[in-house]
Amino acid sequence: MAVLNVTPDSFSDGGVALGVDGSPLRAVERGLALAAAGADCVDVGGESTRPGAAPVPVATEFERVVPVVTGLAAEGVLVSVDTRHAAVARAALAAGAVIVNDVGALTPDDGMLETVAEAGAGYVVMHLRGKPRTMQDAPRFSDVVGDVERELIGARDAAVAAGIAHDAVALDPGIGFGKTLVHNLALLAAVPRLAGLGHPLLVGTSRKAFIGHLTGVDVPAQRVAGSLASAVLAARDGARILRVHDVAATVEALAVQAAIDAAPREGA
Ligand code: HH2
């Protein structure tokens, strides 16, 4: 899953996909390039959810996202929409998106679950307690893996009760969303367990702050090596969807990992 942020302020690539005149054409071109580089799906987002980010008016998010979804879907790209807002999800689905990636799935927006159910779309249930603006204010868990697992299953149950097909749901521990470095590492170490919950597991580590903390690389766009290490390990441990900025590099890394995994084991 390729990240396509149509925002001026995303933590690692704000403004990159926006034309100077706000034209969606540049973002569509970028999305097509991500698909050509090997992404199976392009995740279009119009609101930054970086720690401390202020919410964007829904009308603005709508204007950023819908033309880009329309342009990519018209070119046959599988599009997901990264939004917490039911109105944006509804418009994006009507414009051709087929997955809603809901970072607010633990406390879904009014009408979100029904919108996804009616469209028969896929639904990514990501773990985030609270709101992006305050989520990094002393996050606390009694048992981070157990708490995240339980809360994801609770949100999954609500989604299924609202009519979303069980097999249309993917789960995501929400790396960096209301979590300390220790929490993020515990969740990544628990990928084998989280991947066994009966749904495809999505993991988004790409360029995130915890990689900067581990590597000393301050500039998010330069955190490629650390991002690849985390992506390969997550894939090897059972993650089925990796949400990444650096698509070509990730595809290359996964090709090497897959070849090594397919090689005969000594003694096997
Ligand atoms: N991470 C970000 C945004 N959306 N969705 C899912 N399912 N999982 C994630 O880990 C995830 C996500 C944050 O990354 P990015 O989109 O690059 O930044 P920003 O929120 O600043 O736009």
Side-chain angles (χ1 to χ4, degrees), residues 19 27 41 103 143 165 189 195 211 235 238:
C41 165
V103 305
D143 153 23
I211 291 177

Side-chain angles (χ1 to χ4, degrees), residues 67-215:
V68 180
V69 171
T70 305
L72 288 174
E75 296 290 336
V77 174
L78 198 145
V79 178
S80 71
V81 60
D82 184 349
T83 186
R84 303 182 283 152
H85 299 114
V88 176
R90 199 172 300 122
L93 291 168
V98 293
I99 298 169
V100 176
N101 173 21
D102 187 3
V103 305
L106 258 55
T107 50
D109 196 15
D110 276 351
M112 177 62 102
L113 301 180
E114 296 70 20
T115 298
V116 177
E118 274 163 31
Y123 188 53
V124 178
V125 171
M126 197 202 78
H127 186 275
L128 159 62
R129 275 187 193 162
K131 300 271 182 258
R133 191 194 273 276
T134 52
M135 67 188 177
Q136 288 304 115
D137 299 349
R140 286 172 61 176
F141 294 91
S142 56
D143 153 23
V144 66
V145 176
D147 289 357
V148 167
E149 184 177 82
R150 196 181 56 256
E151 290 170 22
L152 284 176
I153 293 299
R156 184 278 314 273
D157 289 347
V160 170
I164 298 175
H166 186 278
D167 65 4
V169 174
L171 302 179
D172 179 346
I175 300 300
F177 284 87
K179 282 131 195 148
T180 64
L181 173 62
V182 171
H183 295 147
N184 289 323
L185 294 176
L187 288 166
L188 289 169
V191 164
R193 171 171 161 186
L194 298 172
L197 295 175
H199 298 273
L201 188 74
L202 190 157
V203 173
T205 55
S206 186
R207 300 184 179 180
K208 284 187 176 167
F210 84 96
I211 291 177
H213 291 139
L214 294 172
T215 59

